[in-house]
């Protein structure tokens, strides 16, 4: 249901650039937001410095640059930045990848505090945060465990918004934005208001998004690839000797034979009138034709042409906050809610209820009363599961504050405390039209953080901090393969910086205690991790510098890595028929309670040219990870479901990322900037073999024109083929992504502005298979999209 325009303007939320004390942003030189000369303070770094001054590889998206790139997920918003990619799971989910790392190795923050959700437990779980309401995104590429905990071994994404005001506003500020997308008929409405009275500041924001199924060029499911993988996985005993030849043949013939044979087989059987009759006819026509062609398939999965089935989504959220602001600081409180409803593309849960004998046996022992009724209703009353949708609800209360001391040693005390109630239901829809929650994930708890800025003798400065979290994680229902677990973490860190005339250095250490206690108390994990780092930044001249950083970071294993399908006796079930399927990966995953913590040793060298008509950033890094934890596919099966165990092995990640920017033309009326960028990462196990689902390298260019009240951008990115593949993985073709953007600004009165904008993505309508996605063979990335929108600011 879409909001009416007037209601939407009041109830929805917008991505804005209202400044705050901790994230000040000077005004741009013109109304188009042409702001590459602006030096922003990096609030995610330990010290109040700009990107040019910190010895960390940092990416900042704010203002109009953020508005241009904002998408429905964090991963999609950041995928064009150097060193980053998107681990999508259909259009509804996109986890950020930083230098080949994702999931538990990338820490997602909101205003510097952890986001309590279930996104790291499974790849089909969306992040419990939205980019639509953000003022800015800050990404620290590389280990950041000193500041934000052992989960940040790969990097940090900090989503910064204004829900707790940190300053007084001279006058009320109001913004509203409305946009529409062509690829999925998406509507986004966002609005925000900030104002002050006396020493009190208030903030109110909200948004609503809803979309239909995503359009693509061609078929959603790559049936040849799916069949090849099934043969590889289920016939591994017979195919071990021929594995390499089979992959080579598939890769050589994939492009030539797949398109011709696949399309010829389907053109006669699928409805060619999808574009005209999508809403009324595509389900009936597609299903009838699909059934005729696939009667010999043991398990029926609907393939769709021209769109991704069950890819529509809805989301909404709001927040209300207020603060008391004085000369020495502020203290404030905010309440927020976020709701998401999205579908998992067809084929994801194809094995959930198709003669699933091991589930029946498991249910007899798992929970007699509930599961017997559950199985009976599934098998007898409802029939098979047709599709699955995710319903996510998150409620959060935030308390934040800052106090500035008037002493020579103590500078600033900052603190935050958050309480989150999170639930995530996997809703199964049956043949008879009924539905019920198959599995319910919940994660509730507190997270707190406090830092004290110090001024030490000489030119030394320091930050002393502490952080804690205490959450209760649970999963109930048919996919409850992880036991209810109490998760606690307590950390203490210290970072010191020394500044001289031409160079500066940072040194730091962090210790953290991680405890995970599953129900029953016989299989606790209790471990202390210690991380340390050092870096040097040397100024070559007033416009450039070089940096060298070395870090040793430790990461404690997560709840799914330790306890998936692990019972009260701290071991896997004696009978493999009692294993619970993880439908998102289509695997019987088994954790390892004896896993040790990961230890990553990272060395990085960087060069930056941060001002002038030519600007550049080049980073080269090598990350050696001892006891790297991964999901190992085995040669064991239960009812044709493969068993996978969490194991550890030494691994290495090496890469380079670069961006070069040129001011080609700059006059009073017109500015032209041109940039070239690219990145690549090589990830492999030390004993041989490639790490799976590593995003391929990319190279791109962008031309940006700016006038006094308009801007126009053209970008082209080439993503290369990925043939460095792990076990039971196929290579992925490269593709070219072309994007366009343009806007125009009109002044309204003395204080208002109206902006109209148009944005185009994937303009050549390529069928893009994302190698980093578990669903690359079931759901390609969206096809050609045109977004148009209006924004009013006052």
């Amino acid at each position: 249901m879409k909001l009416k325009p007037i209601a939407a303007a009041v109830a929805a939320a917008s991505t804005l650039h209202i400044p705050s004390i901790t994230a000040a942003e000077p005004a741009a030189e013109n109304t188009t937001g042409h702001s590459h000369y602006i030096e922003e303070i990096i609030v995610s770094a330990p010290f109040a410095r700009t990107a040019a001054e910190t010895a960390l590889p940092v990416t900042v998206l704010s203002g109009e640059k953020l508005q241009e790139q904002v998408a429905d997920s964090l991963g999609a918003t950041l995928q064009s930045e150097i060193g980053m990619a998107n681990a999508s799971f259909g259009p509804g989910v996109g986890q950020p990848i930083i230098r080949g790392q994702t999931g538990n190795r990338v820490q997602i923050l909101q205003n510097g505090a952890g986001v309590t959700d279930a996104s790291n437990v499974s790849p089909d779980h969306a992040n419990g945060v939205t980019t639509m309401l953000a003022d800015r995104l800050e990404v620290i590429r590389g280990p950041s465990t000193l500041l934000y905990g052992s989960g940040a071994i790969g990097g940090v994404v900090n989503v910064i918004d204004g829900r707790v005001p940190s300053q007084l506003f001279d006058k009320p500020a109001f913004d509203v934005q409305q946009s529409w997308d062509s690829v999925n008929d998406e509507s986004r409405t966002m609005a925000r208001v900030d104002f002050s009275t006396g020493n009190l500041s208030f903030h109110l924001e909200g948004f609503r998004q809803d979309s239909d199924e995503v359009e693509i060029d061609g078929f959603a499911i790559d049936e040849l690839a799916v069949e090849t993988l099934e043969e590889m996985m289920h016939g591994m005993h017979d195919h071990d000797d021929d594995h390499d030849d089979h992959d080579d043949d598939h890769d050589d013939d994939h492009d030539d034979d797949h398109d011709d044979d696949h399309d010829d087989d389907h053109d006669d059987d699928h409805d060619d009138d999808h574009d005209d009759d999508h809403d009324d006819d595509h389900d009936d026509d597609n299903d009838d034709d699909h059934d005729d062609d696939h009667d010999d398939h043991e398990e029926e999965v609907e393939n769709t042409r021209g769109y991704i089935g069950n890819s529509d989504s809805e989301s909404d959220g709001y927040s209300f906050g207020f603060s008391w602001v004085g000369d020495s600081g502020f203290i404030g409180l905010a309440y927020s809610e976020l709701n998401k409803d999205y579908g998992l593309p067809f084929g994801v849960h194809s094995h959930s209820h198709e003669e699933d004998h091991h589930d029946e046996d498991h249910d007899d022992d798992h929970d007699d009363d509930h599961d017997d009724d559950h199985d009976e209703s599934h098998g007898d009353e409802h029939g098979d599961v047709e599709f699955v949708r995710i319903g996510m609800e998150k409620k959060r209360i935030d308390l934040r504050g800052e106090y500035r001391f008037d002493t020579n040693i103590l500078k600033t005390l900052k603190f935050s405390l958050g309480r989150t109630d999170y639930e995530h239901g996997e809703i199964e829809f049956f043949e008879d039209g009924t539905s019920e929650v198959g599995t319910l994930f919940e994660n509730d708890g507190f997270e707190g953080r406090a830092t004290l800025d110090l001024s030490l003798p000489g030119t030394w400065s320091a930050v002393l901090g502490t952080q804690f979290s205490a959450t209760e994680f649970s999963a109930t229902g048919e996919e409850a393969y992880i036991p209810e677990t109490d998760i606690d973490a307590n950390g203490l860190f210290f970072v010191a910086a020394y500044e001289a005339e031409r160079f500066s250095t940072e040194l730091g250490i962090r210790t953290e205690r991680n405890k995970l206690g599953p129900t029953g108390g016989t299989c606790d994990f209790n471990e202390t991790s210690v991380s340390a780092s050092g870096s040097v930044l040397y100024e070559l001249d007033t416009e450039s510098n070089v940096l060298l950083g070395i870090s040793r970071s430790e990461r404690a294993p997560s709840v799914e890595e330790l306890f998936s399908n692990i019972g009260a006796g701290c071991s896997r079930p004696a009978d493999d028929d009692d294993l619970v399927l993880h439908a998102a990966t289509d695997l019987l995953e088994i954790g390892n309670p004896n896993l040790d913590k990961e230890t990553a040793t990272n060395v990085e060298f960087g060069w930056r040219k941060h001002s002038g008509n030519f600007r550049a950033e080049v980073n080269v890094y090598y990350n050696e990870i001892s006891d790297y934890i991964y999901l190992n596919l085995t040669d064991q099966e239960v009812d044709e479901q493969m068993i996978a165990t969490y194991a550890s092995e030494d691994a290495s990640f090496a890469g380079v990322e670069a961006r070069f920017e040129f001011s080609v033309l700059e006059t009073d009326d017109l500015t032209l900037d041109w940039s070239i960028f690219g990145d690549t990462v090589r990830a492999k196990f030390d004993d041989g073999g490639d790490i799976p689902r590593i995003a391929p390298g990319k190279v791109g260019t962008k031309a940006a024109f700016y006038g006094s009240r308009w801007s126009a951008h053209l970008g082209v990115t080439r993503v290369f083929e990925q043939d460095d593949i792990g076990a039971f993985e196929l290579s992925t073709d490269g593709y070219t992504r072309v994007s366009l953007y343009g806007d125009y600004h009109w002044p309204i009165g003395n204080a208002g502005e109206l902006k109209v904008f148009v944005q185009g993505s994937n303009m050549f309508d390529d069928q893009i298979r994302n190698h980093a996605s578990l669903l690359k063979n079931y759901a390609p990335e969206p096809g050609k999209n045109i977004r148009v929108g209006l924004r009013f600011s006052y």
Side-chain angles (χ1 to χ4, degrees), residues 264-297:
D264 289 344
D265 291 341
H266 287 77
D267 283 346
D268 295 336
D269 300 322
H270 282 270
D271 195 341
D272 292 332
D273 297 328
H274 165 74
D275 292 337
D276 297 331
D277 304 314
H278 177 272
D279 292 336
D280 297 330
D281 299 330
H282 83 263
D283 287 336
D284 295 335
D285 294 342
N286 215 317
D287 287 345
D288 292 341
D289 295 337
H290 185 80
D291 290 344
D292 293 340
D293 283 344
H294 295 81
D295 288 339
D296 58 336
H297 280 209

Side-chain angles (χ1 to χ4, degrees), residues 269-346:
D269 300 322
H270 282 270
D271 195 341
D272 292 332
D273 297 328
H274 165 74
D275 292 337
D276 297 331
D277 304 314
H278 177 272
D279 292 336
D280 297 330
D281 299 330
H282 83 263
D283 287 336
D284 295 335
D285 294 342
N286 215 317
D287 287 345
D288 292 341
D289 295 337
H290 185 80
D291 290 344
D292 293 340
D293 283 344
H294 295 81
D295 288 339
D296 58 336
H297 280 209
E298 182 179 352
E299 294 181 355
E300 194 90 17
V301 178
E302 179 185 1
N303 201 353
T304 56
R305 184 178 187 179
Y307 69 99
I308 302 174
N310 198 35
S311 61
D312 56 308
S313 66
E314 292 184 1
S315 61
D316 61 74
Y318 71 91
S319 65
F320 170 76
F322 65 93
S323 297
W324 184 92
V325 183
D327 294 336
S328 299
F330 74 95
I331 184 170
L333 190 69
Y335 175 80
S336 61
E337 289 192 13
L338 177 64
N339 304 288
K340 291 187 178 182
D341 179 280
Y342 59 92
L344 299 183
F346 293 148

Side-chain angles (χ1 to χ4, degrees), residues 464-491:
L464 176 65
T466 184
Q467 184 175 348
F468 80 91
S469 64
T471 62
E472 297 178 358
F473 172 84
S474 66
T476 56
E478 66 171 28
E479 199 181 317
Y481 64 99
I482 304 174
E484 181 178 342
T485 306
D486 293 333
I487 305 173
D488 300 311
N490 297 279

Side-chain angles (χ1 to χ4, degrees), residues 20-23 43-44 110-114 135 158-167 192 203 321-325 329-335 396-403 413-419 447-451:
S20 67
I21 289 177
T22 58
V43 303
S44 303
Q110 191 165 24
N111 299 308
D135 289 337
N158 194 3
V159 181
I160 301 169
D161 56 38
R163 64 181 56 188
V164 179
S166 59
Q167 68 171 10
R192 168 175 173 170
H203 170 88
F322 65 93
S323 297
W324 184 92
V325 183
F330 74 95
I331 184 170
L333 190 69
Y335 175 80
R396 183 177 175 102
I397 299 175
D398 285 284
L399 174 68
R400 292 180 58 208
E402 176 181 314
Y403 183 78
L413 173 66
K414 301 175 184 177
F415 66 89
S416 63
L417 178 65
R419 173 70 170 91
E447 175 149 354
R449 176 181 174 87
T451 59

Side-chain angles (χ1 to χ4, degrees), residues 506-525:
E506 292 183 11
L507 304 170
I509 188 169
R510 179 189 180 102
T511 179
E512 182 173 310
R513 189 70 173 174
N514 294 276
K515 182 178 181 180
L516 291 84
T519 300
T522 62
C523 198
D524 288 352
F525 176 88

Side-chain angles (χ1 to χ4, degrees), residues 355-365 372 375 577:
E355 300 179 2
D356 204 346
H357 301 297
H358 80 270
D359 272 351
E360 294 174 5
D361 295 336
H362 171 76
D363 290 342
D364 292 338
D365 299 328
D372 287 346
D375 285 346
D577 285 338

Side-chain angles (χ1 to χ4, degrees), residues 435-482:
S435 64
E436 64 181 49
V437 176
T439 306
L440 180 66
F441 294 88
E442 295 180 278
N443 200 7
D444 304 331
F446 291 89
E447 175 149 354
R449 176 181 174 87
T451 59
L452 180 62
D453 294 351
L454 306 171
S455 179
L456 303 180
T459 57
W460 283 91
S461 57
V463 173
L464 176 65
T466 184
Q467 184 175 348
F468 80 91
S469 64
T471 62
E472 297 178 358
F473 172 84
S474 66
T476 56
E478 66 171 28
E479 199 181 317
Y481 64 99
I482 304 174

